[in-house]
Amino acid sequence: PFQTLTAPAPFADETSCQCQAPHEKLTIAQARLGTPVDRPVRVYADGIFDLFHSGHARALMQAKTLFPNSYLLVGVCSDDLTHKFKGFTVMNETERYEALRHCRYVDEVIRDAPWTLTPEFLEKHKIDFVAHDDIPYSSAGSDDVYKHIKEAGMFVPTQRTEGISTSDIITRIVRDYDVYARRNLQRGYTAKELNVSFINEKKYRFQNQVDKMKEKVKNVEEKSKEFVNKVEEKSHDLIQKWEEKSREFIGNFLELFGPDGALKQMFQERSGRMLQAFSPRQSPTSSPTRGRSPSRSPSPPWVFNKASPPSSPKAASASLSSMSEGDEDEK
């Protein structure tokens, strides 16, 4: 049993029966309690196993776990027998054999299994019980090919997995045939390999080109949306920074040029200094005088008499000297 977890299951014709005691007939009750002899219970399950899927694996898991100690043999029918009694398969017999060998629940694979189980076949492989779903399987002119197995008390039923079967998978492929044909053409398969006519090939290739254009347009739209979003984010950041800078600029402008701004204060200070420079303080309006008549204000000594100007330079110097003497007298 541990070999199935580390290597593919062996074929029946490449190995010998692992029974260590004579094959004694067991009842289901004895098998459920444990075999009375030193050997596992040999359980057989057969089928076509085309397009091996989870439904197949679950059926084999049930067959493997029917009894505490079991050895699961799986029979796979050949292509000739399957095509004769059931129909065409997707996978050939070699592919189906290999699929079963790599299932973890399988201990041994029997190639070219018979369609109807005979006593000779059961004796050859020392089969204790046959596992299959309980639905009557009509084929090869019989209403139920497992009828004689059930009458012999060697049949153990398993449960089918709903929602999955080989027929369902094939139905999906047939339903979506155009999609799969177009996909395989795009991947490099020829029309001859796909059994596609010339017209359908051109139609599928044209549809592939249309899909590519749609994908490109979709990518461009997504990239443009990303670009627009980035531009909106950048513009939002720029507007926010511009508002902050504009507030700062307006505040600085008002602080400098406002009604109580620094420029006005500086201008007032400078204008006051200029006024002081151009308009000095005036002299006192009255000054003390000695020996002069109050009715007549004295004339400044430097005022010349326009009516009698000095006749000569000597006279002018004499007048200047007299002015200086007059100043000394005032002092």
Side-chain angles (χ1 to χ4, degrees):
F2 297 101
Q3 188 179 10
T4 59
L5 299 178
T6 57
F11 291 116
D13 53 0
E14 296 177 355
T15 184
S16 59
C17 183
Q18 301 297 321
C19 294
Q20 299 179 3
H23 187 263
E24 297 179 3
K25 188 172 181 60
L26 300 175
T27 63
I28 294 178
Q30 289 175 339
R32 294 189 187 280
L33 294 174
T35 55
V37 293
D38 189 15
R39 67 173 179 82
V41 179
R42 296 176 67 82
V43 180
Y44 176 79
D46 60 357
I48 309 303
F49 301 105
D50 190 21
L51 297 175
F52 189 81
H53 51 75
S54 61
H56 295 142
R58 289 177 63 87
L60 297 176
M61 179 187 69
Q62 295 177 57
K64 177 68 176 178
T65 57
L66 285 171
F67 307 107
N69 183 20
S70 61
Y71 185 85
L72 181 60
L73 301 92
V74 179
V76 184
C77 299
S78 64
D79 286 345
D80 293 337
L81 203 59
T82 304
H83 298 167
K84 179 180 178 181
F85 290 107
K86 189 169 184 178
F88 190 73
T89 59
V90 178
M91 301 169 64
N92 58 44
E93 59 184 25
T94 303
E95 294 170 337
R96 293 185 285 115
Y97 296 155
E98 289 298 322
L100 265 298
R101 289 187 69 196
H102 292 83
C103 179
R104 64 184 301 176
Y105 310 113
V106 179
D107 295 305
E108 188 175 315
V109 175
I110 301 175
R111 294 181 286 193
D112 193 12
W115 197 261
T116 302
L117 301 179
T118 62
E120 294 77 16
F121 179 82
L122 298 175
E123 180 64 26
K124 176 183 177 181
H125 295 282
K126 297 183 179 181
I127 296 171
D128 294 312
F129 300 100
V130 177
H132 199 273
D133 61 81
D134 201 15
I135 301 174
Y137 193 83
S138 59
S139 178
S142 174
D143 295 335
D144 189 1
V145 296
Y146 297 104
K147 182 179 180 180
H148 63 289
I149 303 295
K150 295 176 181 177
E151 292 174 351
M154 298 176 61
F155 186 85
V156 184
T158 57
Q159 298 295 324
R160 292 179 64 92
T161 302
E162 297 297 332
I164 183 68
S165 68
T166 302
S167 300
D168 291 339
I169 296 174
I170 294 175
T171 301
R172 297 179 203 171
I173 296 172
V174 172
R175 181 190 61 196
D176 300 326
Y177 170 78
D178 290 349
V179 176
Y180 295 121
R182 288 168 51 192
R183 183 189 66 178
N184 288 350
L185 281 173
Q186 193 172 5
R187 291 182 176 180
Y189 288 88
T190 63
K192 185 177 180 181
E193 291 173 333
L194 297 174
N195 195 23
V196 174
S197 65
F198 177 80
I199 296 176
N200 286 335
E201 179 190 3
K202 297 303 179 183
K203 181 182 72 172
Y204 293 151
R205 293 191 184 280
F206 176 74
Q207 290 175 345
N208 288 336
Q209 294 295 328
V210 172
D211 291 343
K212 286 183 180 180
M213 291 299 297
K214 289 181 180 179
E215 189 68 23
K216 288 183 180 180
V217 171
K218 184 178 179 181
N219 293 334
V220 170
E221 289 179 354
E222 292 178 354
K223 290 181 180 179
S224 62
K225 288 180 181 179
E226 293 178 359
F227 178 75
V228 170
N229 292 333
K230 290 181 180 179
V231 169
E232 289 180 353
E233 292 177 359
K234 291 290 184 181
S235 61
H236 181 72
D237 294 339
L238 290 174
I239 291 173
Q240 188 175 2
K241 291 181 180 179
W242 180 82
E243 290 178 350
E244 294 175 357
K245 291 294 182 181
S246 62
R247 294 192 192 98
E248 183 179 355
F249 176 78
I250 293 171
N252 294 335
F253 182 84
L254 293 176
E255 185 178 354
L256 185 62
F257 297 100
D260 298 328
L263 187 64
K264 183 177 181 180
Q265 295 179 1
M266 183 176 64
F267 180 75
Q268 289 177 353
E269 291 177 359
R270 289 188 178 181
S271 61
R273 293 176 184 174
M274 293 176 66
L275 288 174
Q276 290 180 1
F278 287 111
S279 301
R281 294 180 180 179
Q282 296 180 357
S283 301
T285 54
S286 61
S287 59
T289 55
R290 286 184 293 177
R292 294 178 183 266
S293 173
S295 61
R296 188 175 179 182
S297 61
S299 299
W302 57 81
V303 178
F304 296 102
N305 189 359
K306 294 182 181 180
S308 56
S311 59
S312 62
K314 293 182 179 181
S317 61
S319 62
L320 290 172
S321 61
S322 62
M323 288 168 58
S324 61
E325 291 176 358
D327 291 338
E328 291 177 358
D329 293 336
E330 289 181 359
K331 293 178 180 179

